[in-house]
Amino acid sequence: MKTISCMNIDQELLYSFGAEDRTYKRGELIFREGDHALYYFQIADGKVKLNNYNEEGKEFIQNILGKNQSFGDPLLFLDKLYPTNATALTSTQIIRISKESFLKLLEKNPDLSLMMNACLSQRLYYKILMTQYMAYQNPVFRLKGLMEYLKSYSENDCQFEFPIELTRQQIANLTGLRVETVIRTLKKMEKENSIKIENRRILY
């Protein structure tokens, strides 16, 4: 089993350290770029988009996360502001725990601290790989890098069994490509047997 690059802490353990449930409507901000990092967030249900915008208003999606995945945790170890926005893509239920309580939880559960170190290390590893892929002009390499990065958050290592739960526009925003280029490249990758497309759903 590969190291999961996203923490998933037992919910009852989170509640025992003072975690609370929060519900967000589709499109509602969970936190904004520039806010102070105050909580560990774990998705109980729904999807969350991490993104930011350049000075021209163009959106760059950093990640899209789903059920049982976490976000915001790396910033809890730094005195830094959030570098992205977090927005609910669907009606979303989140368990959140304050920074102070979360650090106490880790102190009392050293096995989780080791797990978090492994998760953060793997996130950094795949982020570096994705950055390298994004430097290529060849769009195939960019899409492959994105898919490898997204798949790193899953236990599923089987070929053509990991669904890319992104629209073509979201893939374009993540890779800096035009949506027309994404569509053409996906068709090319399908012909080369790098991916499967079933009912417009991408399987990697």
Side-chain angles (χ1 to χ4, degrees), residues 100-114:
E100 181 181 358
S101 296
F102 181 70
L103 294 179
K104 286 180 181 177
L105 185 155
L106 294 182
E107 183 181 349
K108 299 292 184 180
N109 296 272
D111 55 321
L112 288 180
S113 291
L114 291 174

Side-chain angles (χ1 to χ4, degrees), residues 28-63:
E28 187 175 356
L29 272 173
I30 299 165
F31 59 72
R32 190 185 305 273
E33 180 181 359
D35 285 351
H36 289 280
L38 301 176
Y39 297 96
Y40 165 87
F41 300 92
Q42 189 163 297
I43 304 170
D45 194 40
K47 289 184 179 181
V48 171
K49 173 176 68 175
L50 304 181
N51 74 335
N52 46 30
Y53 299 88
N54 66 12
E55 63 277 7
E56 298 174 352
K58 182 179 180 180
E59 180 185 29
F60 290 89
I61 298 175
Q62 304 297 331
N63 212 334

Side-chain angles (χ1 to χ4, degrees), residues 75-144:
L75 275 296
L76 298 179
F77 302 95
L78 302 170
D79 187 21
K80 301 289 184 182
L81 306 178
Y82 287 121
T84 64
N85 307 297
T87 307
L89 277 178
T90 63
S91 177
T92 301
Q93 294 180 332
I94 286 177
I95 302 171
R96 76 176 193 182
I97 182 171
S98 70
K99 175 178 179 178
E100 181 181 358
S101 296
F102 181 70
L103 294 179
K104 286 180 181 177
L105 185 155
L106 294 182
E107 183 181 349
K108 299 292 184 180
N109 296 272
D111 55 321
L112 288 180
S113 291
L114 291 174
M115 179 181 172
M116 173 154 281
N117 286 338
C119 291
L120 294 178
S121 296
Q122 181 136 322
R123 280 190 198 178
L124 178 60
Y125 172 75
Y126 276 98
K127 196 72 172 179
I128 291 171
L129 285 186
M130 187 175 172
T131 301
Q132 291 174 338
Y133 278 115
M134 292 305 111
Y136 287 107
Q137 294 300 313
N138 188 330
V140 171
F141 287 117
R142 291 196 184 193
L143 296 193
K144 183 180 178 182

